[in-house]
Amino acid sequence: MLIIKDREIVEDNWVHLSDEDSLIDGNITVTLTRWQEQHDLLSKHGSGLGIRLSGDEPLEELVPDLHHFQLVVLLFPVFTDGRCYSYARLLRDRYHFKGEVRAQGDVLRDQLFNMSQCGINSFELAKAESAEQALSAFDDFTESYQATVLRPEPLYRRR
Amino acid sequence: MYQYDEYDQTMIDQRVKQFRDQTRRFLAGELTEDQFRPLRLMNGLYIQIHAPMLRVAIPYGMMSATQVRMIAHVARKYDKSFVHFTTRQNFQMNWPKLEDVPDILEALASVQMHAIQSSGNCIRNVTSDQLAGVNANEIEDPRPWAEIVRQWSTFHPEFAYLPRKFKIAVIGSPEDRAATKLHDIGLHLVKNHDGQVGFEVFVGGGLGRTPVIGVQIRPFLEKQDLLSYLEAILRVYNRLGRRDNKYKARIKITVREHGINHIRELVEAEWVQIREQLKLDQKEIDRVKQYFTEPDYDQDAQQDTSYSEMLGQDAAFARWAKQNTADHKVPGYRAVYVSLKKPGVPPGDITSEQLEVLADLAEEFSFAEIRSTHTQNLIFTDVKQADLYALWLRLETEGLATPNINTLTDIICCPGLDYCSLANASSIPVSLEISEKFDDLDYLYDLGDIKIKFSGCMNGCAHQSVGHIGILGVDKKGEEWYQFTLGGSSEADASLGERLGRAIPKEDVVKTVTEILEAYVDLRHQDEAFLSTVRRVGIEPFKERVYADN
Ligand code: HEM
Ligand code: SF4
């Protein structure tokens, strides 16, 4: 599958395992439930390990474990559910997560700019074929008033 | 007033470009209706009975003469040459074409106007007191703070998809002319025991189906912490607010379900983490404040004697001056209300021609500025008393001098069945019947301050639940009926009105208003105001009068 990562279209090299799927080699992501149940086993996983989190699940519970993960996938069940914008900012600003933060679900072109400002750097678009067109979204605005993950100083300190 | 620099201008220009492309993709079928809806709402665009409805933002109600001329122009070119002012100081166009909206927004952007976040589940246009900066009671001018909030909330990337809409109002004097306690966040500039000025913060007010008066979340917030505290409230709400039921998604319900103490703890915990990072610099506060310095007032304005002469000579002028002008902090100046409540004209409506006259008058008499008010009127805030007579004559010619500010016929009214697809009943035609019935000015003045608020359905756009007399349209088996409430207030003593009794059929609405007023006149003690009388005697005597005959 093609995704957008750091403003480029790339082939995805992660596999998202459901709670029933058996473990495989290579980069995998699991749910928070599975991580909590199979903590010991998963922390020995030989390749990349990622976790999938929805706005219903408490981000704070995951924080002590963040160093195990190279990828945090944030779920947007519908694009109007804005909870994970806050999660992305907290992951970056407060918990200093340096790995990949990805948006998955109802991810559309018109939300990419805000998502990226909040610290999300990879995107599984709802319609993968629209990726080429969607790239221009990152340039919709060249400035923002607020302190964001991409521009940590608010405009009032820069103007 | 605030002037854009290249940063502000670039952002709104880019917004127009972005929305032009979104509209193009929608019309080309690349965006579904569901995908386009939130995007257009964040640009002020509803789809209503006749056509799209475009709500344009007027941050805290401030307009320059140039902007007013542009409003007149877009209304003429793209609509039916009139606009409608709303209770949140914005204006609406009722008949634009979807294809034209990007052009309308581009025209508005050329004079530093926009429709950004005037609708949708995001932080809405910030409102304030129409007498900001000119009333003597003020602790501090709220406008620089409203502008700082405007900038912080505009395109905030984290808060574009909140559980529900989010409204903020800021005031700087003890009188509340901005209904702040009916906002998701109300900010009051106050002085603490040490004489230091900061904000008292209210949260969780709102109207709609479940009207709630906001409660205090923080008694005193230092000014430089304003943005971090707002960001903390918004983050808590964005995470916690309900998303399963849109009728329970406003922060008023979040506060009710979790309790104000718990919400306060969460907000404070969040706040300590971001407080330092988002501290406002004095440099920025000063930068914004420089746009709101006093205009060049004539120090000798008070010397004029013509004003008192004209008051003596012309009774109609005197009546207008008494009712439609307000005290000013500078001796010799007054603030002048432009009534948009002429009997026979839908409350809040104004034509392009009238707007152009007002732009001229603003340049001639009031430092080229006009403001909109929460009560759907306009105001010139800085008029010399010597100019009042000339200004009155011109307003009178335009039908903008109805001397009814703060009287019974200064009705706040929503569009209702005439324009709104959610309406249960008509509101404009019935409110017009009321103002036509009560056209005897002496009777109106005798009744004093009575606020009628009239909504066409329980969404409550006209704030009926906080009207001294609230009227709400309801649907009974396809017929239009009206539910009355008495004793509400949106001011400093905010309260919700109490139900009078069962709903009233349309043909009896005017009669019911008449009976309520008669009961009041019988019950009041001397000069006692309507609201005080209702609060003193309760609802029963009114009930008896209205429902006596059946
Ligand atoms: C004709 C198109 C309109 C539609 C479809 C519409 C729709 C709505 C809806 C659904 C609500 C309830 C929202 C909620 O409870 O969360 C609402 C509230 C409101 N509307 Fe409107 N409205 C319209 C026009 C207006 C106009 C003309 C005004 C001003 C005169 C206005 C001012 C307000 C205000 C102040 C509220 C209360 C917000 C609160 O609960 O704090 N609306 N509107
Ligand atoms: S109160 Fe109801 S009828 Fe009136 S404008 Fe609002 S939604 Fe429409």
Side-chain angles (χ1 to χ4, degrees):
Chain A
M1 190 180 91
L2 290 177
I3 61 161
I4 296 178
K5 186 177 169 193
D6 298 325
R7 305 185 59 158
E8 282 177 18
I9 299 171
V10 297
E11 189 63 43
D12 186 20
N13 55 9
W14 289 83
V15 176
H16 305 301
L17 296 185
S18 77
D19 290 354
E20 289 74 42
D21 291 340
S22 38
L23 283 185
I24 52 167
D25 291 336
N27 298 335
I28 55 164
T29 71
V30 294
T31 62
L32 179 64
T33 319
R34 184 161 184 173
W35 166 250
Q36 285 168 340
E37 281 167 8
Q38 304 180 6
H39 183 283
D40 293 343
L41 181 65
L42 286 169
S43 52
K44 292 193 207 89
H45 184 69
S47 327
L49 183 64
I51 188 140
R52 305 198 297 280
L53 197 66
S54 83
D56 286 327
E57 293 165 325
L59 172 65
E60 282 69 17
E61 279 184 23
L62 188 67
V63 171
D65 296 343
L66 272 179
H67 61 278
H68 290 285
F69 308 115
Q70 289 77 51
L71 169 65
V72 177
V73 180
L74 298 176
L75 300 178
F76 291 83
V78 288
F79 75 93
T80 48
D81 181 342
R83 290 176 291 185
C84 282
Y85 289 87
S86 290
Y87 278 19
R89 281 203 69 181
L90 290 169
L91 278 169
R92 297 296 193 195
D93 288 351
R94 185 157 310 157
Y95 306 122
H96 309 293
F97 181 70
K98 296 281 189 282
E100 180 177 339
V101 177
R102 182 182 294 193
Q104 187 184 62
D106 197 12
V107 180
L108 308 170
R109 183 218 180 274
D110 293 290
Q111 285 75 44
L112 298 190
F113 180 83
N114 282 352
M115 287 180 172
S116 65
Q117 292 296 321
C118 290
I120 297 174
N121 72 320
S122 75
F123 306 87
E124 291 180 16
L125 291 180
K127 283 190 284 181
E129 68 278 11
S130 58
E132 194 66 51
Q133 259 193 336
L135 283 177
S136 64
F138 298 105
D139 298 318
D140 278 357
F141 294 93
T142 51
E143 263 303 342
S144 39
Y145 287 112
Q146 304 77 12
T148 70
V149 172
L150 295 188
R151 269 187 288 262
E153 291 294 319
L155 181 59
Y156 60 76
R157 298 222 180 99
R158 293 183 281 117
R159 77 195 314 172
Chain B
M1 61 189 270
Y2 187 73
Q3 299 294 320
Y4 284 7
D5 64 9
E6 78 260 34
Y7 290 105
D8 304 292
Q9 189 66 45
T10 303
M11 273 187 264
I12 65 162
D13 291 345
Q14 290 176 337
R15 175 60 151 211
V16 173
K17 188 162 161 259
Q18 181 194 42
F19 188 63
R20 191 180 288 287
D21 185 56
Q22 288 165 343
T23 308
R24 180 193 62 73
R25 283 186 279 131
F26 172 67
L27 292 171
E30 293 168 32
L31 283 174
T32 65
E33 173 56 35
D34 281 347
Q35 289 167 350
F36 186 54
R37 186 183 307 111
L39 306 178
R40 66 169 162 76
L41 286 175
M42 276 187 261
N43 287 283
L45 195 61
Y46 279 85
I47 304 289
Q48 281 305 308
I49 297 179
H50 303 292
M53 179 205 86
L54 183 66
R55 181 183 296 150
V56 177
I58 303 173
Y60 40 95
M62 300 278 299
M63 292 170 280
S64 67
T66 311
Q67 291 176 328
V68 171
R69 286 199 185 93
M70 181 55 82
I71 298 172
H73 167 75
V74 295
R76 187 179 286 125
K77 180 156 178 199
Y78 300 104
D79 206 304
K80 299 193 171 180
S81 292
F82 75 93
V83 300
H84 174 77
F85 279 90
T86 78
T87 50
R88 295 199 73 257
Q89 299 181 302
N90 298 322
F91 75 86
Q92 295 184 176
M93 297 168 62
N94 285 318
W95 320 76
K97 289 204 206 54
L98 174 60
E99 311 79 273
D100 287 339
V101 172
D103 292 337
I104 299 175
L105 295 179
E106 187 169 312
L108 292 169
S110 73
V111 295
Q112 311 192 348
M113 293 190 84
H114 60 75
I116 295 162
Q117 292 167 214
S118 58
S119 189
N121 295 332
C122 49
I123 307 173
R124 301 292 188 85
N125 182 41
V126 56
T127 58
S128 186
D129 179 356
Q130 71 269 13
L131 296 181
V134 303
N135 84 92
N137 264 348
E138 197 158 84
I139 292 158
E140 184 174 318
D141 188 345
R143 292 172 302 166
W145 300 104
E147 175 59 28
I148 285 170
V149 172
R150 181 193 76 79
Q151 298 195 9
W152 162 80
S153 60
T154 299
F155 307 139
H156 198 303
E158 189 179 339
F159 305 130
Y161 295 97
L162 295 170
R164 202 74 178 84
K165 59 179 167 185
F166 204 94
K167 304 180 179 183
I168 302 178
V170 195
I171 55 170
S173 41
E175 304 80 26
D176 188 350
R177 282 171 288 261
T180 59
K181 287 189 184 160
L182 299 155
H183 281 73
D184 298 277
I185 294 180
L187 297 168
H188 295 187
L189 281 154
V190 292
K191 211 173 250 174
N192 70 6
H193 295 305
D194 306 327
Q196 193 192 359
V197 175
F199 295 99
E200 180 179 7
V201 185
F202 293 84
V203 70
L207 295 153
R209 286 162 194 253
T210 323
V212 180
I213 309 283
V215 292
Q216 190 201 66
I217 183 164
R218 201 178 161 81
F220 191 82
L221 177 71
E222 290 184 24
K223 288 194 276 189
Q224 58 277 29
D225 291 327
L226 177 62
L227 296 187
S228 55
Y229 198 76
L230 292 180
E231 187 136 324
I233 296 178
L234 263 298
R235 186 171 284 164
V236 167
Y237 170 59
N238 189 38
R239 294 185 58 176
L240 206 60
R242 284 180 62 169
R243 292 180 185 264
D244 58 330
N245 179 341
K246 75 170 185 172
Y247 299 116
K248 299 195 167 151
R250 293 284 295 271
I251 196 172
K252 61 191 174 190
I253 307 292
T254 321
V255 170
R256 190 174 73 189
E257 289 183 349
H258 296 265
I260 182 66
N261 292 331
H262 183 53
I263 297 291
R264 184 182 295 116
E265 280 165 25
L266 292 174
V267 168
E268 299 273 327
E270 182 60 41
W271 183 44
V272 295
Q273 306 256 13
I274 55 179
R275 191 172 170 184
E276 286 311 313
Q277 189 202 352
L278 290 181
K279 254 205 193 341
L280 271 164
D281 317 351
Q282 194 55 42
K283 183 168 142 263
E284 169 67 0
I285 297 173
D286 294 341
R287 184 187 78 85
V288 177
K289 279 193 171 171
Q290 76 184 355
Y291 293 105
F292 299 95
T293 50
E294 285 193 357
D296 193 9
Y297 290 123
D298 176 357
Q299 295 310 317
D300 300 327
Q302 210 182 358
Q303 308 302 324
D304 156 79
T305 54
S306 66
Y307 176 49
S308 59
E309 280 161 28
M310 292 321 293
L311 287 178
Q313 282 173 27
D314 191 327
F317 171 62
R319 203 164 54 191
W320 171 83
K322 178 159 188 283
Q323 204 62 38
N324 285 21
T325 72
D327 291 343
H328 197 287
K329 66 177 185 188
V330 177
Y333 278 84
R334 295 193 70 73
V336 173
Y337 285 93
V338 176
S339 171
L340 302 186
K341 309 294 175 67
K342 186 181 152 128
V345 179
D349 278 12
I350 185 167
T351 67
S352 291
E353 290 69 31
Q354 288 173 319
L355 284 166
E356 281 159 353
V357 171
L358 291 182
D360 293 345
L361 294 176
E363 282 171 348
E364 205 172 329
F365 297 116
S366 194
F367 298 101
E369 284 176 8
I370 306 181
R371 302 185 196 177
S372 49
T373 78
H374 157 62
T375 53
Q376 301 182 285
N377 293 304
L378 300 176
I379 186 168
F380 295 114
T381 47
D382 303 281
V383 183
K384 270 202 269 193
Q385 64 182 41
D387 290 336
L388 286 172
Y389 194 74
L391 175 57
W392 172 67
L393 288 175
R394 304 269 291 278
L395 290 175
E396 185 69 16
T397 320
E398 294 301 320
L400 295 169
T402 312
N404 63 347
I405 295 297
N406 284 332
T407 69
L408 184 76
T409 56
D410 189 2
I411 298 177
I412 295 185
C413 183
C414 82
L417 217 46
D418 296 49
Y419 297 105
C420 176
S421 50
L422 305 177
N424 285 328
S426 38
S427 46
I428 294 175
V430 188
S431 82
L432 292 180
E433 278 179 45
I434 298 174
S435 38
E436 273 151 32
K437 158 89 188 182
F438 297 100
D439 63 349
D440 176 355
L441 288 171
D442 291 327
Y443 185 55
L444 286 187
Y445 298 155
D446 176 58
L447 293 172
D449 181 6
I450 301 188
K451 296 193 169 65
I452 296 190
K453 304 190 179 185
F454 200 143
S455 297
C457 81
M458 69 206 291
N459 287 313
C461 297
H463 302 197
Q464 83 288 343
S465 44
V466 289
H468 296 173
I469 300 178
I471 309 178
L472 164 66
V474 291
D475 173 274
K476 275 200 191 177
K477 303 199 186 85
E479 281 176 35
E480 299 167 63
W481 287 66
Y482 297 85
Q483 175 68 62
F484 277 66
T485 47
L486 297 185
S489 165
S490 67
E491 298 180 26
D493 58 351
S495 63
L496 300 176
E498 194 179 337
R499 256 178 77 150
L500 185 65
R502 62 182 184 278
I504 306 264
K506 191 171 180 177
E507 59 275 16
D508 288 344
V509 169
V510 174
K511 179 167 144 276
T512 303
V513 174
T514 313
E515 286 165 347
I516 291 169
L517 296 174
E518 286 168 0
Y520 157 60
V521 170
D522 291 349
L523 291 161
R524 70 178 163 189
H525 289 163
Q526 290 163 348
D527 289 343
E528 191 180 36
F530 178 80
L531 185 59
S532 313
T533 305
V534 176
R535 285 181 177 169
R536 179 173 54 81
V537 302
I539 197 108
E540 279 309 319
F542 293 95
K543 210 178 220 167
E544 279 163 26
R545 178 77 60 119
V546 169
Y547 298 100
D549 17 320
N550 44 27

